[in-house]
Amino acid sequence: MRRAVEAYNLACFDSSDLVAGWRATLSATRHHLRWLGVELSVEDFACGPGEAEEGPLFLLARAIGVGADLLAMQNGTTWSVLDDDQAVRAARSEVAAIAGMGARATITRLVSGQTKSGAGRGLLYGHLVSVLVELESLHESGVSEIGSLGGLATRLPREPVDKWSHISRLAATWQVAHEATSPRTLLTRDLRSTTAQLRTVAGYLTHLAGLLGTPERGQLGEFRSLAESLRAAAAAEARLGLAWRSRLSDVSGRSDSAAEAAFVRLLEALQRWLSEGDRLKRRDEVVPDAESAGRVCGVVDELAHSGHRVASHHEESVWFVIHAGWLFVPKFELAKRDPEFDARPSVWRLRYPQPAWVRTTRASCFEQLTSSLAEATSHFAEAAAIGRRVAGTTEQHRPFGAHFATKPRVLPPPRWSYLASDEPVPAIDDDLPGIDL
């Protein structure tokens, strides 16, 4: 809405910027409304110049386009909010109102008499009137609250402006790097590294929960539960580390993990913020007042959410490599679970010494590993839920993981007249009639 007000108030009298900016705005609006189940009937404006990409209308087009991209990136967890018909109608109304302000801004420039001469001004005016009628109809059919759609959030927090938002951004970047990593490219070293990363994050989150959990700040029980969940997650990750050591060995290949590099940046930021030399900072150094406590709760929310998503992706990746038969177990471990393994004759057994490590897809050989993974993911999920409660973001719907290839729902166009009156639209470039704005 702020961009729409800017487009309405700021002067833009260059015909190239005006036409190009309106084309971009209409295209973004069409795409956004398509995700909300409405197809605009009005055609794009194809006359006149339109090469420039400057001016307030382009800022409005980008803002509307970002909203459309947010709807397009939803997955199975967040897509369900679009099943709320009342919220969808309200969202259509909001988008139509914002785009309508852009159309009125363009008409204002046309009828002001200050617009530089250019071909198709009369055609553009008629086109804008048609768009306004359609947008106003959508706006009037909506309701006041957009409901659960207002809780949609992007995968990444806002651009960092201080140390708190910087760490939140790094945590989300670490999460996205893990989710973008295919299990097919992972070596055992990468899986062990992720285990260590999650254990480190659980340790720093436990320290933050201890700093925030004071009687004078309230929510003491929440922070105690948060610390307990994180300690349990760290213990499960420690058992997982032992399972990696006693069960598996590396396959050949080189690892260049982008997720590990992202974690190093996150770790360095956490160390600068929470430690000084070899000691962790005191409560009064990290959370000196109520305002900073609120910001730290936001960091806890983002970090716990990212830890949960990384733990979930880690568990899925391990199951993938187990079923693919890419991991090794000691030979005697497989023999205990498959009595015929040692008794099975083969030419290989007669001629060559048997290896100490063998590959297998038998899930029972990895019970310690998989049970620790499931436990760690469960405790991180509890920590993430508590983090959302203390930060007040319980209603947020943050997308994660693989995106669903869902296409926008396209409904038949509404039946209405696109012209404000039965009078013909002027086809000349001069003496454009004014309209009530």
Side-chain angles (χ1 to χ4, degrees):
M1 182 62 76
R2 179 169 61 86
R3 294 300 186 191
V5 173
E6 290 177 357
Y8 190 82
N9 292 331
L10 295 178
C12 177
F13 298 111
D14 184 88
S15 58
S16 297
D17 287 348
L18 199 64
V19 174
W22 172 246
R23 283 179 182 168
T25 301
L26 180 59
S27 177
T29 302
R30 188 189 306 280
H31 183 53
H32 198 142
L33 289 174
R34 188 173 292 149
W35 280 104
L36 296 173
V38 171
E39 181 70 33
L40 288 178
S41 298
V42 66
E43 299 292 336
D44 291 330
F45 184 70
C47 300
E51 300 300 328
E53 294 187 3
E54 299 178 356
L57 282 174
F58 260 101
L59 297 179
L60 175 60
R62 289 175 188 145
I64 297 174
V66 167
D69 291 342
L70 181 58
L71 295 177
M73 71 181 294
Q74 301 310 307
N75 59 15
T77 300
T78 50
W79 179 256
S80 60
V81 299
L82 289 175
D83 292 333
D84 186 343
D85 290 338
Q86 182 177 356
V88 170
R89 286 196 300 270
R92 293 172 188 165
S93 176
E94 291 290 331
V95 174
I98 292 171
M101 291 191 70
R104 287 185 175 88
T106 308
I107 292 177
T108 300
R109 304 305 180 260
L110 286 176
V111 301
S112 66
Q114 301 180 45
T115 308
K116 296 179 182 179
S117 61
R121 289 175 61 239
L123 294 176
L124 177 59
Y125 175 83
H127 167 79
L128 289 167
V129 172
S130 301
V131 174
L132 264 179
V133 174
E134 189 168 356
L135 291 176
E136 286 174 356
S137 177
L138 285 174
H139 176 54
E140 293 170 358
S141 65
V143 290
S144 58
E145 296 294 334
I146 63 174
S148 55
L149 271 174
L152 289 181
T154 61
R155 293 162 64 90
L156 294 177
R158 62 183 180 182
E159 289 295 331
V161 294
D162 51 37
K163 59 185 176 183
W164 297 290
S165 54
H166 179 64
I167 291 175
S168 296
R169 186 84 174 184
L170 290 174
T173 304
W174 169 58
Q175 169 201 337
V176 171
H178 272 285
E179 292 175 343
T181 303
S182 170
R184 297 178 181 275
T185 65
L186 294 175
L187 304 181
T188 309
R189 177 195 172 281
D190 302 315
L191 300 173
R192 290 173 175 168
S193 174
T194 303
T195 300
Q197 294 170 29
L198 289 168
R199 191 176 179 186
T200 303
V201 166
Y204 275 107
L205 278 171
T206 303
H207 178 59
L208 287 172
L211 297 180
L212 291 167
T214 58
E216 59 270 17
R217 292 201 177 101
Q219 296 181 312
L220 184 58
E222 291 279 33
F223 287 114
R224 285 177 178 171
S225 300
L226 176 61
E228 291 173 0
S229 297
L230 292 166
R231 290 191 188 100
E237 294 293 344
R239 291 192 295 273
L240 183 58
L242 293 176
W244 287 124
R245 187 182 306 173
S246 61
R247 283 290 184 273
L248 310 171
S249 68
D250 283 308
V251 295
S252 60
R254 178 180 176 180
S255 171
D256 294 309
S257 175
E260 186 171 328
F263 177 75
V264 169
R265 292 190 292 272
L266 172 62
L267 179 60
E268 291 173 348
L270 287 170
Q271 289 172 339
R272 286 193 301 269
W273 178 36
L274 297 176
S275 62
E276 185 175 348
D278 295 333
R279 74 172 183 89
L280 291 173
K281 292 182 180 179
R282 303 184 305 273
R283 178 181 287 112
D284 60 328
E285 297 176 287
V286 179
V287 196
D289 50 41
E291 181 182 357
S292 60
R295 304 297 296 276
V296 173
C297 285
V299 175
V300 169
D301 177 26
E302 291 288 349
L303 199 54
H305 171 75
S306 296
H308 173 222
R309 292 308 316 146
V310 171
S312 298
H313 182 267
H314 188 43
E315 183 177 9
E316 295 168 3
S317 299
V318 171
W319 274 110
F320 177 87
V321 295
I322 288 175
H323 290 313
W326 294 347
L327 299 180
F328 292 86
V329 296
K331 177 186 172 184
F332 69 89
E333 292 289 348
L334 180 59
K336 286 192 300 184
R337 293 165 175 80
D338 184 4
E340 298 182 0
F341 181 79
D342 273 333
R344 205 172 292 154
S346 67
V347 176
W348 176 269
R349 289 180 182 277
L350 297 176
R351 293 186 179 180
Y352 304 102
Q354 294 301 298
W357 292 80
V358 293
R359 293 186 184 188
T360 180
T361 58
R362 187 181 288 266
S364 59
C365 292
F366 305 98
E367 288 176 350
Q368 181 185 2
L369 185 70
T370 54
S371 62
S372 298
L373 280 166
E375 186 177 352
T377 303
S378 174
H379 289 306
F380 266 111
E382 294 174 5
I386 298 172
R388 286 193 292 273
R389 289 200 296 270
V390 299
T393 60
T394 305
E395 299 302 320
Q396 279 192 4
H397 308 274
R398 287 179 275 201
F400 56 80
H403 300 161
F404 283 59
T406 308
K407 295 182 179 180
R409 295 172 293 174
V410 179
L411 302 181
R415 296 179 180 177
W416 55 57
S417 174
Y418 297 123
L419 295 181
S421 67
D422 294 329
E423 298 179 0
V425 176
I428 58 176
D429 294 336
D430 301 322
D431 301 326
L432 294 175
I435 65 172
D436 184 9
L437 299 176

